[in-house]
Amino acid sequence: MALSQDDIQFIKAHMGEWLAEQSLGKPSVVYEIELRERMVRVEEALKHQGELMRQGFEQMEKRFELMEKRFEQMDRRFEQSDKRIEDLIKRHDHQFMWLIGFITTIAALIIAAGKWL
């Protein structure tokens, strides 16, 4: 039994309607219940994910605070080191000035001794 062209055209024209009626147009009660259950599960999963994200952000905030404290401690140590270095430079400058004075005095004595001889 072969289909005529009119039958084929009729089938093509109404195929979309028939498929929509069978699957998406009127979903069965069981399908609607399954969809609702899925939506509830997805909402619960999203809620759980949000809670996990909040906890993660809180932990990150705590870690940032700890890092900030460490940086402050390091900054204090650098300040102490800078002060020690400045004290050392002052002491060396004082010794250098004393050495220059000593050398100048010795040179002056040698020059003066040379004139007296």
Side-chain angles (χ1 to χ4, degrees):
M1 173 174 173
L3 293 175
S4 68
Q5 282 292 38
D6 292 335
D7 292 335
I8 293 173
Q9 291 299 333
F10 179 79
I11 292 172
K12 283 183 181 179
H14 293 89
M15 181 69 78
E17 293 175 28
W18 296 336
L19 289 174
E21 285 178 9
Q22 291 299 317
S23 61
L24 300 176
K26 298 177 183 174
S28 67
V29 175
V30 174
Y31 183 71
E32 285 184 25
I33 292 172
E34 287 178 2
L35 280 178
R36 287 182 185 159
E37 288 176 355
R38 281 186 191 173
M39 288 188 329
V40 168
R41 284 194 301 262
V42 167
E43 287 173 352
E44 289 173 354
L46 286 173
K47 189 176 183 180
H48 182 67
Q49 284 293 327
E51 184 64 30
L52 289 176
M53 288 175 65
R54 246 183 256 109
Q55 289 174 358
F57 289 137
E58 288 173 4
Q59 289 176 354
M60 285 175 57
E61 188 67 32
K62 289 177 184 177
R63 289 179 184 163
F64 284 137
E65 289 173 4
L66 289 174
M67 290 295 291
E68 188 174 332
K69 288 178 183 178
R70 288 181 192 162
F71 285 139
E72 288 173 359
Q73 289 174 352
M74 288 175 59
D75 193 36
R76 278 189 238 120
R77 288 181 189 154
F78 285 137
E79 288 174 1
Q80 291 172 354
S81 296
D82 287 346
K83 187 176 183 295
R84 288 181 192 153
I85 291 171
E86 287 174 6
D87 291 343
L88 184 65
I89 289 172
K90 286 179 185 177
R91 195 169 69 220
H92 282 250
D93 286 347
H94 180 71
Q95 290 174 351
F96 182 72
M97 293 304 282
W98 183 85
L99 181 63
I100 295 244
F102 180 75
I103 291 172
T104 304
T105 304
I106 295 296
L109 288 175
I110 291 173
I111 290 172
K115 288 183 181 179
W116 290 329
L117 289 174

